[in-house]
Amino acid sequence: MSQILYQFSGERFSPIEWCDPARQTTLVADSFRVENGRVVALERHLGRFSDSVLSTTDVTPDRLNAFLSALVSTIPAEGSWFPRIEAVETPGGATLRYRERPAPPWSSEVVIARAQHDPRRFPHTKGPDLEALLALRTQVAPLGATEAIITTADDLLVEGAYSSLMIWRAGNDHPTVIPPTTPHLPGITEAVLADYAQSAGIPVVVEDVSVSDLEGAEVWILSALHGIRVATAFVEGPSLGMVPGRRELWQEHWLSLAQPVQA
């Protein structure tokens, strides 16, 4: 995926030569899909990013606000994009950057597999564990899986390497999400869909789910890149189910919430 890397000077973004991300320590990061200048839940993404930056780095509120103000006028107004905003560690302190990346094609299905281990050191902050989480995906790829599912020592579901989980247990007409007592990233797409469920009078159950509970269940893999993807198979795991049309209905609502970046 070709991309342009910009560094924020305090007033504006300046393109810099590509550098190996492995040589930089990412302190905080966030990404969101942009379709012709429109984003779903941009304020929530920027809010999560801001909270983490202010609580974990030496970036001042004024500098962060200037960065966000410059950002909204920098994001392309046309095309399909998956930009990443980040705070990285540099000798002079945390530096704010923006990666302009084209979005990959939309995907509605995914094959999942258990992650070999849990490498997360900062489960509530998006950014510092991204490289380790990407390695989980690489490890399950030979199995035919495109997302790795982190589980506890008791085989309880936690989250995907780059995704949140929403489960429709077999026979249930309401979804289940992982409780906050299980350390994992607060997913923006999950929160948006939970709000939709509430508005539609659909209860969202918050409780632990084991891998064995997934027999016949419909498993949704949630992300800002694709919205909702349905897991069609769990490698060396239970057989999964699917209710025709359910994912499409909820995905359509998620997409309808996109607002212009400039707004």
mmCIF file of all heavy atoms in Angstrom, residues 184-218:
data_model
loop_
_atom_site.group_PDB
_atom_site.id
_atom_site.type_symbol
_atom_site.label_atom_id
_atom_site.label_comp_id
_atom_site.label_asym_id
_atom_site.label_seq_id
_atom_site.Cartn_x
_atom_site.Cartn_y
_atom_site.Cartn_z
ATOM 1 N N HIS A 184 -9.162 -4.960 26.677
ATOM 2 C CA HIS A 184 -9.100 -4.888 25.222
ATOM 3 C C HIS A 184 -9.385 -3.459 24.793
ATOM 4 O O HIS A 184 -9.846 -2.635 25.588
ATOM 5 C CB HIS A 184 -10.074 -5.870 24.559
ATOM 6 C CG HIS A 184 -11.525 -5.579 24.808
ATOM 7 N ND1 HIS A 184 -12.132 -5.752 26.034
ATOM 8 C CD2 HIS A 184 -12.502 -5.125 23.985
ATOM 9 C CE1 HIS A 184 -13.414 -5.431 25.968
ATOM 10 N NE2 HIS A 184 -13.656 -5.029 24.735
ATOM 11 N N LEU A 185 -9.100 -3.169 23.546
ATOM 12 C CA LEU A 185 -9.243 -1.824 23.018
ATOM 13 C C LEU A 185 -10.722 -1.443 22.921
ATOM 14 O O LEU A 185 -11.527 -2.244 22.450
ATOM 15 C CB LEU A 185 -8.592 -1.739 21.636
ATOM 16 C CG LEU A 185 -8.389 -0.342 21.059
ATOM 17 C CD1 LEU A 185 -7.311 0.393 21.842
ATOM 18 C CD2 LEU A 185 -7.992 -0.445 19.584
ATOM 19 N N PRO A 186 -11.090 -0.249 23.356
ATOM 20 C CA PRO A 186 -12.478 0.199 23.187
ATOM 21 C C PRO A 186 -12.758 0.478 21.713
ATOM 22 O O PRO A 186 -12.298 1.474 21.158
ATOM 23 C CB PRO A 186 -12.543 1.472 24.033
ATOM 24 C CG PRO A 186 -11.133 1.969 24.095
ATOM 25 C CD PRO A 186 -10.261 0.742 24.074
ATOM 26 N N GLY A 187 -13.477 -0.415 21.066
ATOM 27 C CA GLY A 187 -13.690 -0.320 19.618
ATOM 28 C C GLY A 187 -14.710 0.743 19.248
ATOM 29 O O GLY A 187 -15.818 0.783 19.806
ATOM 30 N N ILE A 188 -14.364 1.584 18.287
ATOM 31 C CA ILE A 188 -15.274 2.630 17.837
ATOM 32 C C ILE A 188 -16.449 2.024 17.070
ATOM 33 O O ILE A 188 -17.612 2.387 17.290
ATOM 34 C CB ILE A 188 -14.545 3.656 16.959
ATOM 35 C CG1 ILE A 188 -13.370 4.289 17.724
ATOM 36 C CG2 ILE A 188 -15.508 4.722 16.467
ATOM 37 C CD1 ILE A 188 -13.758 5.028 18.963
ATOM 38 N N THR A 189 -16.173 1.118 16.142
ATOM 39 C CA THR A 189 -17.246 0.501 15.362
ATOM 40 C C THR A 189 -18.194 -0.269 16.271
ATOM 41 O O THR A 189 -19.415 -0.235 16.090
ATOM 42 C CB THR A 189 -16.660 -0.426 14.290
ATOM 43 O OG1 THR A 189 -15.721 0.311 13.496
ATOM 44 C CG2 THR A 189 -17.753 -0.976 13.383
ATOM 45 N N GLU A 190 -17.641 -0.952 17.269
ATOM 46 C CA GLU A 190 -18.480 -1.657 18.235
ATOM 47 C C GLU A 190 -19.406 -0.681 18.956
ATOM 48 O O GLU A 190 -20.602 -0.950 19.135
ATOM 49 C CB GLU A 190 -17.613 -2.396 19.249
ATOM 50 C CG GLU A 190 -18.396 -3.078 20.356
ATOM 51 C CD GLU A 190 -17.514 -3.599 21.470
ATOM 52 O OE1 GLU A 190 -16.409 -4.117 21.165
ATOM 53 O OE2 GLU A 190 -17.918 -3.504 22.649
ATOM 54 N N ALA A 191 -18.875 0.462 19.385
ATOM 55 C CA ALA A 191 -19.685 1.447 20.097
ATOM 56 C C ALA A 191 -20.793 2.004 19.214
ATOM 57 O O ALA A 191 -21.932 2.201 19.664
ATOM 58 C CB ALA A 191 -18.788 2.581 20.603
ATOM 59 N N VAL A 192 -20.482 2.257 17.952
ATOM 60 C CA VAL A 192 -21.485 2.777 17.011
ATOM 61 C C VAL A 192 -22.614 1.770 16.834
ATOM 62 O O VAL A 192 -23.803 2.128 16.839
ATOM 63 C CB VAL A 192 -20.828 3.109 15.664
ATOM 64 C CG1 VAL A 192 -21.887 3.407 14.605
ATOM 65 C CG2 VAL A 192 -19.893 4.294 15.810
ATOM 66 N N LEU A 193 -22.265 0.493 16.684
ATOM 67 C CA LEU A 193 -23.291 -0.534 16.489
ATOM 68 C C LEU A 193 -24.086 -0.777 17.769
ATOM 69 O O LEU A 193 -25.281 -1.077 17.713
ATOM 70 C CB LEU A 193 -22.643 -1.819 16.003
ATOM 71 C CG LEU A 193 -21.984 -1.743 14.622
ATOM 72 C CD1 LEU A 193 -21.368 -3.089 14.259
ATOM 73 C CD2 LEU A 193 -22.995 -1.313 13.558
ATOM 74 N N ALA A 194 -23.441 -0.647 18.915
ATOM 75 C CA ALA A 194 -24.168 -0.790 20.176
ATOM 76 C C ALA A 194 -25.200 0.330 20.326
ATOM 77 O O ALA A 194 -26.321 0.101 20.810
ATOM 78 C CB ALA A 194 -23.193 -0.779 21.350
ATOM 79 N N ASP A 195 -24.840 1.538 19.896
ATOM 80 C CA ASP A 195 -25.790 2.648 19.914
ATOM 81 C C ASP A 195 -26.973 2.365 18.992
ATOM 82 O O ASP A 195 -28.129 2.653 19.327
ATOM 83 C CB ASP A 195 -25.106 3.942 19.481
ATOM 84 C CG ASP A 195 -24.168 4.500 20.548
ATOM 85 O OD1 ASP A 195 -24.212 4.006 21.689
ATOM 86 O OD2 ASP A 195 -23.396 5.423 20.215
ATOM 87 N N TYR A 196 -26.687 1.807 17.836
ATOM 88 C CA TYR A 196 -27.751 1.468 16.886
ATOM 89 C C TYR A 196 -28.684 0.429 17.493
ATOM 90 O O TYR A 196 -29.917 0.532 17.388
ATOM 91 C CB TYR A 196 -27.147 0.939 15.584
ATOM 92 C CG TYR A 196 -28.167 0.366 14.627
ATOM 93 C CD1 TYR A 196 -29.236 1.123 14.174
ATOM 94 C CD2 TYR A 196 -28.054 -0.949 14.167
ATOM 95 C CE1 TYR A 196 -30.170 0.595 13.297
ATOM 96 C CE2 TYR A 196 -28.974 -1.484 13.287
ATOM 97 C CZ TYR A 196 -30.031 -0.710 12.864
ATOM 98 O OH TYR A 196 -30.959 -1.229 11.996
ATOM 99 N N ALA A 197 -28.122 -0.584 18.142
ATOM 100 C CA ALA A 197 -28.938 -1.617 18.768
ATOM 101 C C ALA A 197 -29.861 -1.001 19.816
ATOM 102 O O ALA A 197 -31.056 -1.320 19.887
ATOM 103 C CB ALA A 197 -28.039 -2.674 19.401
ATOM 104 N N GLN A 198 -29.320 -0.106 20.626
ATOM 105 C CA GLN A 198 -30.127 0.538 21.654
ATOM 106 C C GLN A 198 -31.273 1.324 21.038
ATOM 107 O O GLN A 198 -32.411 1.266 21.517
ATOM 108 C CB GLN A 198 -29.249 1.456 22.501
ATOM 109 C CG GLN A 198 -29.989 2.152 23.640
ATOM 110 C CD GLN A 198 -29.079 3.023 24.492
ATOM 111 O OE1 GLN A 198 -27.972 3.344 24.086
ATOM 112 N NE2 GLN A 198 -29.545 3.414 25.662
ATOM 113 N N SER A 199 -30.989 2.059 19.965
ATOM 114 C CA SER A 199 -32.034 2.855 19.323
ATOM 115 C C SER A 199 -33.107 1.975 18.686
ATOM 116 O O SER A 199 -34.263 2.398 18.547
ATOM 117 C CB SER A 199 -31.417 3.771 18.253
ATOM 118 O OG SER A 199 -30.901 3.013 17.171
ATOM 119 N N ALA A 200 -32.726 0.753 18.312
ATOM 120 C CA ALA A 200 -33.666 -0.175 17.690
ATOM 121 C C ALA A 200 -34.350 -1.077 18.713
ATOM 122 O O ALA A 200 -35.138 -1.951 18.338
ATOM 123 C CB ALA A 200 -32.942 -1.024 16.653
ATOM 124 N N GLY A 201 -34.047 -0.873 20.006
ATOM 125 C CA GLY A 201 -34.657 -1.684 21.037
ATOM 126 C C GLY A 201 -34.112 -3.091 21.123
ATOM 127 O O GLY A 201 -34.780 -3.995 21.637
ATOM 128 N N ILE A 202 -32.877 -3.274 20.637
ATOM 129 C CA ILE A 202 -32.236 -4.587 20.665
ATOM 130 C C ILE A 202 -31.225 -4.608 21.809
ATOM 131 O O ILE A 202 -30.295 -3.804 21.817
ATOM 132 C CB ILE A 202 -31.527 -4.890 19.334
ATOM 133 C CG1 ILE A 202 -32.522 -4.849 18.176
ATOM 134 C CG2 ILE A 202 -30.807 -6.234 19.390
ATOM 135 C CD1 ILE A 202 -31.869 -4.941 16.801
ATOM 136 N N PRO A 203 -31.397 -5.490 22.783
ATOM 137 C CA PRO A 203 -30.442 -5.516 23.901
ATOM 138 C C PRO A 203 -29.072 -6.003 23.455
ATOM 139 O O PRO A 203 -28.968 -6.875 22.590
ATOM 140 C CB PRO A 203 -31.086 -6.497 24.885
ATOM 141 C CG PRO A 203 -31.947 -7.379 24.048
ATOM 142 C CD PRO A 203 -32.454 -6.508 22.932
ATOM 143 N N VAL A 204 -28.046 -5.427 24.026
ATOM 144 C CA VAL A 204 -26.679 -5.880 23.797
ATOM 145 C C VAL A 204 -26.177 -6.504 25.101
ATOM 146 O O VAL A 204 -26.057 -5.807 26.113
ATOM 147 C CB VAL A 204 -25.751 -4.726 23.366
ATOM 148 C CG1 VAL A 204 -24.315 -5.224 23.204
ATOM 149 C CG2 VAL A 204 -26.244 -4.098 22.066
ATOM 150 N N VAL A 205 -25.905 -7.791 25.063
ATOM 151 C CA VAL A 205 -25.449 -8.502 26.249
ATOM 152 C C VAL A 205 -23.940 -8.315 26.386
ATOM 153 O O VAL A 205 -23.203 -8.454 25.398
ATOM 154 C CB VAL A 205 -25.794 -9.999 26.162
ATOM 155 C CG1 VAL A 205 -25.227 -10.759 27.361
ATOM 156 C CG2 VAL A 205 -27.301 -10.177 26.075
ATOM 157 N N VAL A 206 -23.491 -7.988 27.583
ATOM 158 C CA VAL A 206 -22.066 -7.812 27.855
ATOM 159 C C VAL A 206 -21.639 -8.942 28.786
ATOM 160 O O VAL A 206 -21.961 -8.929 29.973
ATOM 161 C CB VAL A 206 -21.779 -6.444 28.498
ATOM 162 C CG1 VAL A 206 -20.289 -6.276 28.743
ATOM 163 C CG2 VAL A 206 -22.325 -5.315 27.632
ATOM 164 N N GLU A 207 -20.952 -9.912 28.246
ATOM 165 C CA GLU A 207 -20.528 -11.050 29.062
ATOM 166 C C GLU A 207 -19.416 -11.820 28.366
ATOM 167 O O GLU A 207 -19.201 -11.677 27.159
ATOM 168 C CB GLU A 207 -21.697 -11.988 29.350
ATOM 169 C CG GLU A 207 -22.285 -12.671 28.123
ATOM 170 C CD GLU A 207 -23.468 -13.568 28.469
ATOM 171 O OE1 GLU A 207 -23.981 -13.475 29.596
ATOM 172 O OE2 GLU A 207 -23.886 -14.355 27.592
ATOM 173 N N ASP A 208 -18.713 -12.635 29.147
ATOM 174 C CA ASP A 208 -17.644 -13.463 28.591
ATOM 175 C C ASP A 208 -18.213 -14.494 27.632
ATOM 176 O O ASP A 208 -19.301 -15.042 27.844
ATOM 177 C CB ASP A 208 -16.888 -14.172 29.711
ATOM 178 C CG ASP A 208 -16.015 -13.235 30.526
ATOM 179 O OD1 ASP A 208 -15.421 -12.333 29.915
ATOM 180 O OD2 ASP A 208 -15.940 -13.418 31.758
ATOM 181 N N VAL A 209 -17.449 -14.740 26.582
ATOM 182 C CA VAL A 209 -17.816 -15.751 25.586
ATOM 183 C C VAL A 209 -16.604 -16.640 25.365
ATOM 184 O O VAL A 209 -15.508 -16.153 25.082
ATOM 185 C CB VAL A 209 -18.237 -15.105 24.251
ATOM 186 C CG1 VAL A 209 -18.604 -16.177 23.227
ATOM 187 C CG2 VAL A 209 -19.403 -14.140 24.459
ATOM 188 N N SER A 210 -16.796 -17.932 25.501
ATOM 189 C CA SER A 210 -15.700 -18.869 25.247
ATOM 190 C C SER A 210 -15.732 -19.315 23.791
ATOM 191 O O SER A 210 -16.755 -19.172 23.101
ATOM 192 C CB SER A 210 -15.812 -20.091 26.165
ATOM 193 O OG SER A 210 -16.935 -20.880 25.808
ATOM 194 N N VAL A 211 -14.625 -19.843 23.342
ATOM 195 C CA VAL A 211 -14.569 -20.335 21.962
ATOM 196 C C VAL A 211 -15.631 -21.402 21.740
ATOM 197 O O VAL A 211 -16.293 -21.438 20.685
ATOM 198 C CB VAL A 211 -13.164 -20.884 21.647
ATOM 199 C CG1 VAL A 211 -13.144 -21.565 20.286
ATOM 200 C CG2 VAL A 211 -12.136 -19.758 21.680
ATOM 201 N N SER A 212 -15.857 -22.259 22.723
ATOM 202 C CA SER A 212 -16.863 -23.322 22.565
ATOM 203 C C SER A 212 -18.273 -22.763 22.434
ATOM 204 O O SER A 212 -19.156 -23.407 21.855
ATOM 205 C CB SER A 212 -16.786 -24.293 23.745
ATOM 206 O OG SER A 212 -17.051 -23.633 24.966
ATOM 207 N N ASP A 213 -18.519 -21.539 22.943
ATOM 208 C CA ASP A 213 -19.834 -20.910 22.829
ATOM 209 C C ASP A 213 -20.150 -20.492 21.396
ATOM 210 O O ASP A 213 -21.291 -20.113 21.099
ATOM 211 C CB ASP A 213 -19.920 -19.668 23.723
ATOM 212 C CG ASP A 213 -19.902 -19.995 25.203
ATOM 213 O OD1 ASP A 213 -20.382 -21.086 25.567
ATOM 214 O OD2 ASP A 213 -19.408 -19.163 25.993
ATOM 215 N N LEU A 214 -19.161 -20.529 20.524
ATOM 216 C CA LEU A 214 -19.350 -20.052 19.161
ATOM 217 C C LEU A 214 -19.971 -21.101 18.230
ATOM 218 O O LEU A 214 -20.222 -20.803 17.063
ATOM 219 C CB LEU A 214 -18.011 -19.601 18.565
ATOM 220 C CG LEU A 214 -17.319 -18.437 19.272
ATOM 221 C CD1 LEU A 214 -16.047 -18.060 18.533
ATOM 222 C CD2 LEU A 214 -18.249 -17.234 19.393
ATOM 223 N N GLU A 215 -20.222 -22.288 18.721
ATOM 224 C CA GLU A 215 -20.826 -23.320 17.874
ATOM 225 C C GLU A 215 -22.175 -22.812 17.349
ATOM 226 O O GLU A 215 -23.099 -22.522 18.109
ATOM 227 C CB GLU A 215 -21.037 -24.613 18.661
ATOM 228 C CG GLU A 215 -21.510 -25.783 17.818
ATOM 229 C CD GLU A 215 -20.459 -26.240 16.805
ATOM 230 O OE1 GLU A 215 -19.250 -26.248 17.148
ATOM 231 O OE2 GLU A 215 -20.852 -26.569 15.663
ATOM 232 N N GLY A 216 -22.273 -22.677 16.019
ATOM 233 C CA GLY A 216 -23.494 -22.203 15.393
ATOM 234 C C GLY A 216 -23.721 -20.712 15.488
ATOM 235 O O GLY A 216 -24.743 -20.204 15.005
ATOM 236 N N ALA A 217 -22.801 -19.977 16.117
ATOM 237 C CA ALA A 217 -22.969 -18.536 16.300
ATOM 238 C C ALA A 217 -22.543 -17.763 15.056
ATOM 239 O O ALA A 217 -21.749 -18.248 14.239
ATOM 240 C CB ALA A 217 -22.160 -18.062 17.503
ATOM 241 N N GLU A 218 -23.071 -16.568 14.932
ATOM 242 C CA GLU A 218 -22.631 -15.649 13.881
ATOM 243 C C GLU A 218 -21.620 -14.691 14.510
ATOM 244 O O GLU A 218 -21.953 -13.982 15.461
ATOM 245 C CB GLU A 218 -23.812 -14.878 13.296
ATOM 246 C CG GLU A 218 -23.427 -13.944 12.156
ATOM 247 C CD GLU A 218 -24.652 -13.372 11.438
ATOM 248 O OE1 GLU A 218 -25.750 -13.960 11.557
ATOM 249 O OE2 GLU A 218 -24.496 -12.338 10.754
#
